Amino acid sequence: MRHFLLAVAVGATAMGCATANLSSDAEKTARLGIDTENIDQTVRPQDDFYRFVNGGWLASTTIPDDKSNYGSFSQLADQARAQLRTIIEEAADTPSRDGTDAQKVGDFYRSFMNLEAIEREGLTPLNDEVARIDAIQTPADLLTYFGYAQRSGGGTTFNLWVNQDAKASTEYIVYVSQGGLGLPDKSYYESDDEKFVNIRADYLQHIRRTLGLAAVDNAEQRAQQILDIETALASHHWKREDNRDRNATYNKLTLAEANAAMPGSDWRDILGGAGIKGEDAFIVRQPSYFKSMVEMANTVPIDHWRGYLYFHMLRAASPYLTEPFVQENFNFYSGTLRGIEKNRPRWRRGVAAVEQALGEVVGKLYVERHFKPEAKARMEDLVENLRQAFEVSINELEWMSPETKIEAQAKLAKFTPKIGYPNEWKDYARLKVKPDTLLENVRNSYDVEYTRMLSKLGQDIDRNEWFMTPQTVNAYYNPSMNEIVFPAAILQPPFFNMEADDAVNYGAIVAVIGHEFSHGFDDQGRKSDGDGNLRDWWTDQDATEFKARADGLVEQYDGYSPIDGINVNGKLTLGENIGDLAGLTMAYKAYKLSLGGKEAPVIDGYTGDQRFFMGWSQVWRRLYREDELRNRLVTDPHSPSEYRVNGIVSNMPAFFDAFDVKPGDDLYRAPSDRVEIW
């Protein structure tokens, strides 16, 4: 995007932020809540608001050599990792009674740091998996192994999980979805773009080298066979934007119906291989893919499949094997695909491994040490303020009928917020951990979590379950639960600042809350009702009106091109873009309601409305390596950060008023072009 110098002086009444004398007073800066040293006064906010707020940071910050991108989320995540390191290393340095949580945390970390034991074990822990693969003789054996591989954590051609039935949210059911690729997306196998052609060539050599490290015969020939299988699987994959369609991906089949639709399969054996028995129905997200997968299982030579399965087993295990495997895996998946220059320090990888295995154990300690109870109480107030803003906004929508408004309000009233940490912590009693068997520990952990997941079948819905740990810097909306979840680690500056003026908090954390609220009303979330059931509660006219407005957002984002020749995918990113637009819109309404009709104070020359929008821009500052950005443009449903700022505010009249945006300014959009949904 173009940068513009200030060619003429702009009066403080028109745009006080551009000419304000920024105070160095620490107390005032803390209250302001904006890192004013990051403001780039050479950029007009009317032309590029993202770089106006963040230009100084973007110019002075270097992406760490062990990261593919870096921003506000990364900084908080690094802080959390350092805090977890202290917790975990204390456990590792303190003898504990066998079977206690402290023993498991400490020994898991010790096993990751014990390079001598890892070298001594080599590939021995994989011998049983190799024997299973070698025993495959028939297509039926192969399909059963595809199911079994769900339990072992090895690579396979599909993914399986247990979740609430999207049309019967009080029941758990099995879902299966397409998988089997070693590259991030089908486009990596199909695009003629030179970059993707080169990646495929590099991937072929990566497969060959990985097999060579395991002393596999005919590694070069097998590598080509593996790539051929993946290319064929990719050709049958649904596109990511199609996978977003909750109606199209809800295909509930009985075992008999699945077998009839996919000749050559026996889903009782496939699910049995996955440890699932007694379930007569499951949900197939992409039926055409699974039909083709079964056909390939019955036609591709079994020996080719053995090579494929062996490679994907090695790929899954590589981060926990000897250094040559670790480095080869890093060189391709982090270096080639994401542009990362250096692997993370081993302690960081060890902390991540412990988190993956014992996330809520260390999460409980993290909360005790680093989460203030008053932050949770304040968040609960902000959530309710935002809910009120949504309620008012729904009532005021001119384009929505009374019938649909009633349903929307009913859904809003049933939203459940979860803040900080779970009310009930997970039990890890079944997990056995030793200080000198890393891969065995990893596999034991996977088995415990897989068994925990399968145990849901036939049980009541666990409404206390969290799908993120408290130390995760993120948030989510769960449509089947109709809940919004905010882990403790995100509830700190720049997202949430207890010391800052409310304007910045409303533009930051309240807008993030609004984003998650809005996922319940985005193009897919709107298809579920307040009880979490996939049900059409819209009148035809309202659905048509919604789609027309959403299509405008698709068209807008399709026009953004952060890399020459590659544009943002407006359909893939639609849900997140709606979340951003509706979330920031609702946060602004909640902010104005919070003022009770009074004028916000001017702080350091910035009005309340200006600080509100600056708070939004500040949280999205981020730098990307080009390879990482290319990968995200293909695979990520989120738009790149600058468009999460500039693309959103350019639709909001309140932003135009706050910064005196006029025709001719780069961010100006004519009223008829602005998208307004909620």
Side-chain angles (χ1 to χ4, degrees):
M1 184 169 287
R2 291 176 292 169
H3 291 195
F4 286 83
L5 296 175
L6 287 172
V8 294
V10 182
T13 56
M15 195 191 71
C17 61
T19 58
N21 293 318
L22 302 182
S23 171
S24 60
D25 182 82
E27 182 178 347
K28 185 179 290 186
T29 300
R31 187 179 174 213
L32 179 65
I34 301 295
D35 294 331
T36 53
E37 68 274 14
N38 292 329
I39 293 174
D40 186 347
Q41 297 283 8
T42 70
V43 178
R44 300 177 70 243
Q46 303 97 327
D47 294 327
D48 188 341
F49 189 59
Y50 174 71
R51 287 179 176 80
F52 168 72
V53 174
N54 301 306
W57 185 90
L58 295 170
S60 63
T61 303
T62 301
I63 301 174
D65 55 11
D66 64 347
K67 288 180 169 58
S68 64
N69 64 97
Y70 194 66
S72 296
F73 285 84
S74 315
Q75 290 172 308
L76 288 186
D78 282 350
Q79 177 179 304
R81 292 288 181 276
Q83 292 164 336
L84 289 175
R85 181 187 189 182
T86 299
I87 292 170
I88 291 169
E89 289 187 345
E90 284 177 3
D93 293 340
T94 305
S96 301
R97 183 167 52 85
D98 189 46
T100 63
D101 286 344
Q103 175 266 319
K104 292 172 184 177
V105 169
D107 281 354
F108 203 110
Y109 185 71
R110 275 196 288 268
S111 73
F112 194 94
M113 304 302 287
N114 192 340
L115 297 177
E116 181 179 341
I118 293 169
E119 185 72 31
R120 182 172 61 251
E121 285 200 312
L123 294 177
T124 301
L126 297 176
N127 285 347
D128 58 338
E129 292 300 317
V130 173
R132 281 184 178 273
I133 293 172
D134 286 344
I136 297 171
Q137 300 295 324
T138 67
D141 294 342
L142 179 64
L143 289 167
T144 300
Y145 182 88
F146 288 168
Y148 162 79
Q150 307 294 326
R151 303 164 62 182
S152 68
T156 185
T157 55
F158 68 92
N159 303 306
L160 178 151
W161 67 93
V162 173
N163 200 2
Q164 290 162 272
D165 187 326
K167 289 190 176 181
S169 63
T170 59
E171 301 173 5
Y172 285 117
I173 195 168
V174 174
Y175 285 77
V176 295
S177 186
Q178 65 189 24
L181 308 184
L183 293 175
D185 182 76
K186 67 181 282 135
S187 58
Y188 278 73
Y189 295 86
E190 297 172 349
S191 174
D192 292 330
D193 181 274
E194 182 180 3
K195 184 68 177 180
F196 290 102
V197 171
N198 290 338
I199 286 174
R200 287 197 293 273
D202 289 343
Y203 181 50
L204 181 65
Q205 294 310 309
H206 164 67
I207 298 172
R208 180 189 60 77
R209 287 191 295 268
T210 300
L211 295 177
L213 289 173
V216 174
D217 293 336
N218 302 317
E220 187 165 349
Q221 180 182 5
R222 284 197 174 275
Q224 186 61 58
Q225 292 167 353
I226 292 164
L227 182 58
D228 289 345
I229 287 175
E230 291 189 20
T231 302
L233 290 172
S235 71
H236 302 296
H237 265 226
W238 288 22
K239 293 181 179 179
R240 287 180 181 261
E241 52 266 40
D242 296 331
N243 283 320
R244 292 190 62 249
D245 189 330
R246 297 191 69 208
N247 295 112
T249 55
Y250 184 90
N251 304 283
K252 190 172 183 177
L253 303 175
T254 65
L255 297 183
E257 289 170 339
N259 290 340
M262 307 168 202
S265 66
D266 186 340
W267 277 92
R268 192 172 306 278
D269 288 344
I270 297 172
L271 295 181
I276 298 168
K277 301 183 185 300
E279 297 295 313
D280 185 57
F282 63 114
I283 294 173
V284 182
R285 282 177 51 83
Q286 305 92 0
S288 62
Y289 168 80
F290 280 91
K291 184 174 185 294
S292 298
M293 180 201 79
V294 170
E295 290 174 354
M296 288 181 60
N298 282 276
T299 55
V300 173
I302 292 296
D303 188 57
H304 293 196
W305 278 114
R306 290 197 197 99
Y308 166 89
L309 294 170
Y310 191 47
F311 166 70
H312 281 278
M313 175 195 65
L314 290 170
R315 185 169 78 93
S318 284
Y320 314 107
L321 294 175
T322 58
E323 190 58 27
F325 282 97
V326 171
Q327 193 61 41
E328 177 59 38
N329 184 268
F330 167 82
N331 287 345
F332 181 74
Y333 283 103
S334 297
T336 300
L337 290 185
R338 304 177 67 196
I340 300 176
E341 299 172 3
K342 184 180 179 181
N343 207 350
R344 292 172 296 166
R346 191 159 188 91
W347 74 261
R348 282 187 182 272
R349 288 178 276 148
V351 166
V354 173
E355 271 199 280
Q356 187 171 2
L358 293 147
E360 288 196 10
V361 170
V362 292
K364 185 177 181 180
L365 295 173
Y366 171 85
V367 167
E368 290 172 356
R369 297 190 188 186
H370 302 292
F371 186 58
K372 298 178 180 178
E374 55 266 32
K376 183 170 184 175
R378 179 64 177 138
M379 275 290 292
E380 289 171 346
D381 291 340
L382 293 174
V383 168
E384 287 311 307
N385 291 350
L386 189 70
R387 192 197 300 266
Q388 292 174 23
F390 256 97
E391 182 179 344
V392 171
S393 182
I394 290 170
N395 285 336
E396 293 177 346
L397 288 177
E398 296 180 357
W399 59 269
M400 182 178 282
S401 69
E403 298 95 321
T404 305
K405 285 182 180 179
I406 290 172
E407 291 275 8
Q409 293 286 13
K411 180 171 185 175
L412 178 65
K414 292 181 177 180
F415 266 65
T416 300
K418 293 180 177 178
I419 299 168
Y421 52 88
N423 292 326
E424 298 178 8
W425 299 94
K426 288 181 179 178
D427 179 13
Y428 293 87
R430 286 190 61 250
L431 179 58
K432 306 300 181 185
V433 178
K434 300 176 183 178
D436 54 359
T437 57
L438 173 59
L439 194 54
E440 181 180 340
N441 291 339
V442 170
R443 295 175 69 186
N444 286 346
S445 168
Y446 190 91
D447 178 70
V448 166
E449 294 305 324
Y450 187 81
T451 301
R452 192 196 308 274
M453 179 184 71
L454 291 194
S455 70
K456 297 177 184 179
L457 291 169
Q459 302 300 310
D460 292 337
I461 302 302
D462 180 4
R463 299 196 175 274
N464 292 309
E465 185 176 17
W466 280 51
F467 297 99
M468 283 181 181
T469 61
Q471 61 270 28
T472 302
V473 183
N474 213 327
Y476 69 89
Y477 170 72
N478 182 349
S480 296
M481 291 278 199
N482 195 28
E483 64 182 9
I484 50 173
V485 184
F486 298 91
I490 198 174
L491 303 180
Q492 51 189 317
F495 295 91
F496 182 43
N497 188 343
M498 293 282 288
E499 306 302 321
D501 173 72
D502 256 357
V504 171
N505 280 330
Y506 273 88
I509 195 62
V510 179
V512 172
I513 298 169
H515 173 99
E516 301 305 336
F517 260 92
S518 300
H519 274 314
F521 300 101
D522 69 19
D523 65 307
Q524 298 303 314
R526 73 176 187 86
K527 296 177 179 179
S528 294
D529 62 20
D531 295 319
N533 290 313
L534 188 59
R535 176 175 69 85
D536 189 358
W537 46 270
W538 291 66
T539 67
D540 290 343
Q541 182 176 344
D542 289 340
T544 299
E545 182 66 31
F546 181 96
K547 186 177 185 304
R549 291 166 180 264
D551 286 347
L553 209 55
V554 171
E555 182 179 358
Q556 177 187 348
Y557 276 80
D558 275 344
Y560 294 133
S561 180
I563 297 177
D564 287 344
I566 305 180
N567 284 37
V568 175
N569 184 334
K571 289 183 178 180
L572 176 61
T573 59
L574 178 58
E576 298 298 333
N577 296 335
I578 291 175
D580 285 344
L581 177 57
L584 190 60
T585 299
M586 293 303 150
Y588 179 75
K589 291 183 178 182
Y591 172 58
K592 301 306 278 190
L593 288 172
S594 76
L595 295 174
K598 298 179 181 179
E599 284 294 320
V602 175
I603 301 178
D604 233 16
Y606 297 91
T607 68
D609 281 14
Q610 289 171 344
R611 298 195 306 278
F612 170 86
F613 286 107
M614 293 169 78
W616 174 255
S617 183
Q618 183 173 250
V619 302
W620 295 116
R621 62 191 181 206
R622 181 166 295 276
L623 292 167
Y624 304 89
R625 299 190 191 278
E626 184 173 315
D627 289 327
E628 170 70 3
L629 183 55
R630 179 181 290 103
N631 182 19
R632 289 189 178 214
L633 288 170
V634 172
T635 65
D636 193 349
H638 302 83
S639 298
S641 285
E642 68 174 288
Y643 308 122
R644 300 192 74 167
V645 177
N646 290 342
I648 296 305
V649 300
S650 68
N651 286 302
M652 296 183 62
F655 172 77
F656 285 41
D657 293 339
F659 291 95
D660 196 29
V661 181
K662 293 182 168 123
D665 295 334
D666 279 10
L667 290 182
Y668 180 82
R669 290 168 63 84
S672 60
D673 293 331
R674 297 173 201 165
V675 178
E676 180 183 359
I677 300 178
W678 293 101

